[in-house]
């Protein structure tokens, strides 16, 4: 009686524990790497937001610097004084333009309501040839 040769252990039983261990180690390394990656992405997003805010602040500063320079100009200050407080030099005549009164505005609105609206006239659609001639600038010949 001959005994059959011993069967080889299947591949999984031979390399299974090593494969499971390698998967666990890879999963652990992946889990350890997720949090720093999230933090890095959050920091990049925060930096981008801060750069945008910095750009807006720099633009506001430039606008304010231009305004400061204008306020140091005597001609600009004179212009603003004439506009805002009605500065007048001796010998000049000041004119104040008043807005229309509420009564006159109400009368104009009432008159517009009672006007007869013109009847819209629909013109026929131009033909292809007329449109082409008009496009070429030869339509009024």
């Amino acid at each position: 009686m001959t005994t059959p040769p011993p069967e080889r252990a299947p591949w999984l039983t031979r390399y299974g524990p090593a494969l499971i261990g390698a998967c666990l180690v890879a999963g652990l390394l992946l889990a350890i790497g997720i949090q720093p990656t999230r933090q890095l992405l959050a920091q990049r997003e925060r930096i981008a937001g801060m750069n945008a805010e910095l750009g807006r602040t720099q633009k506001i500063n430039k606008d304010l610097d231009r305004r400061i320079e204008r306020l140091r100009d005597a001609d600009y200050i004179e212009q603003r004084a004439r506009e805002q407080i009605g500065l007048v030099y001796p010998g000049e005549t000041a004119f104040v333009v008043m807005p229309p009164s509420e009564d006159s505005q109400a009368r104009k609105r009432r008159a517009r309501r009672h006007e007869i609206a013109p009847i819209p006239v629909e013109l026929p659609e131009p033909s292809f040839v007329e449109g082409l001639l008009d496009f070429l600038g030869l339509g009024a010949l």
Side-chain angles (χ1 to χ4, degrees), residues 81-94:
R82 287 179 178 272
E83 291 172 359
Q84 290 183 352
I85 61 173
L87 173 71
V88 180
Y89 285 119
E92 292 181 341
T93 304

Side-chain angles (χ1 to χ4, degrees), residues 70-82 89:
R70 281 188 295 164
L71 289 173
R72 289 182 180 155
D73 182 17
D75 293 334
Y76 178 75
I77 292 175
E78 178 184 339
Q79 176 190 358
R80 296 292 293 184
R82 287 179 178 272
Y89 285 119

Side-chain angles (χ1 to χ4, degrees), residues 33-98:
I34 287 176
Q35 186 60 27
T37 304
R38 284 184 182 172
Q39 288 176 346
L40 178 66
L41 293 175
Q43 287 174 351
R44 285 184 181 172
E45 187 176 316
R46 187 170 171 222
I47 288 171
M50 289 179 155
N51 283 334
E53 185 178 341
L54 177 64
R56 286 190 300 270
T57 304
Q58 287 174 339
K59 182 184 179 301
I60 290 170
N61 283 343
K62 285 180 186 177
D63 292 343
L64 291 174
D65 286 339
R66 274 189 248 124
R67 188 171 179 193
I68 288 170
E69 287 302 316
R70 281 188 295 164
L71 289 173
R72 289 182 180 155
D73 182 17
D75 293 334
Y76 178 75
I77 292 175
E78 178 184 339
Q79 176 190 358
R80 296 292 293 184
R82 287 179 178 272
E83 291 172 359
Q84 290 183 352
I85 61 173
L87 173 71
V88 180
Y89 285 119
E92 292 181 341
T93 304
F95 293 95
V96 178
V97 179
M98 299 297 293

Side-chain angles (χ1 to χ4, degrees), residues 7-20:
E7 281 194 34
R8 292 187 174 176
W11 180 84
L12 188 58
T13 55
R14 194 178 319 162
Y15 298 110
L19 184 63
I20 291 173

